[in-house]
Amino acid sequence: MAMDGTENDAAVDRIADQVNMLQDGEAMINVTWNGQNGDMGPVLRDSPDDQVKEWVQEAVRTGGVPGIDADPAADFTDYVVDKVDTQAGPKLMVRPKVPFGGANV
Amino acid sequence: MRCPECDSCDIRREPRAPETGPWDYKCQSCGHEAYRGEFCDPPARIVTPEDLGDDDIEGNQRDTGVDMEAGVVVGKAGEPIYWHAPKGRTAAYLPDSPTLWQVLWHNRTVLQGFAHSHPGSGYPHPSHEDVTTFAAVESGLGKRLDWWIATEDELSLVRWAGPGRLDYTTWFSPTSEPEWVGELRKLSREEANDGNGRN
């Protein structure tokens, strides 16, 4: 536990708490929506992407993700899930897709 | 943005008719009109993939011989922030890219939009993949962006017009093209060389 009370130490403590909270096979979900970003979970790391997106959509619609304002119209249809290992443990990053191309509309 | 004439920050986009292009901006304080790049922003630091500690820039590449789609992230002053030529791009597709999303997210306060190329000539229209990506990115960033599509001889600008999530409108034939368009076309047809994106 960091002892000098700086902001950096507080951040380190938060990461440590998050790592300690995770059990084997679990991951936090990181969500980006409407210019805001927040974590929710933990969930099983191997959860199917569609399931993760459903959880996230429901949580954002009802204000269940700390750091993200409730948005009843939130729609994660065109989002993707990246599974990454971070300093704070495994994370499922839910972000907008960014491919381009294909047939014209 | 600040007006170079009166230093006001109240600058608004003033869409023009298609024949003159939707490129102009107007100061609401003194009435000064200009292309957006002539209104200046306070210097803002641009975040690159290297700044993010992403040393695997997804193999940004140049491909040999055949025209490939390419992209560029454009800042508020009209400056190119990040050239996008990911591994796996083809003549008809730019694949999904966590790195591109990271660049868009970390530069969201200095971002005007994103341009990509369609090899070949003629008036470029967005694909269904394009507009669903436009909508997803804007929902993630919480802001609307400008989306350009360039062919060898034409440039279109696509913006959300509403009311539906995928209701985007396309303008053609702007009176002048931003400087980065030529470089984007070059990146679309360039032969392989350095293997990394440019910033």
Side-chain angles (χ1 to χ4, degrees), chain B residues 90-146:
Chain B
T90 71
Y93 200 65
L94 285 173
D96 185 55
S97 161
T99 297
L100 176 59
W101 167 250
Q102 287 293 312
V103 170
L104 293 169
W105 172 254
H106 287 281
N107 289 291
R108 61 193 181 280
T109 59
V110 296
L111 198 59
Q112 182 178 353
F114 180 80
H116 73 282
S117 60
H118 284 181
S121 59
Y123 292 106
H125 293 266
S127 66
H128 181 72
E129 184 82 274
D130 291 340
V131 294
T132 52
T133 292
F134 300 164
V137 169
E138 290 175 350
S139 72
L141 297 178
K143 65 187 289 186
R144 295 292 175 188
L145 299 180
D146 289 340

Side-chain angles (χ1 to χ4, degrees), chain B residues 20 22 27 39 68 103 140 146 150 160-161:
Chain B
T20 56
C27 172
F39 293 105
M68 296 285 174
V103 170
D146 289 340
W160 183 78

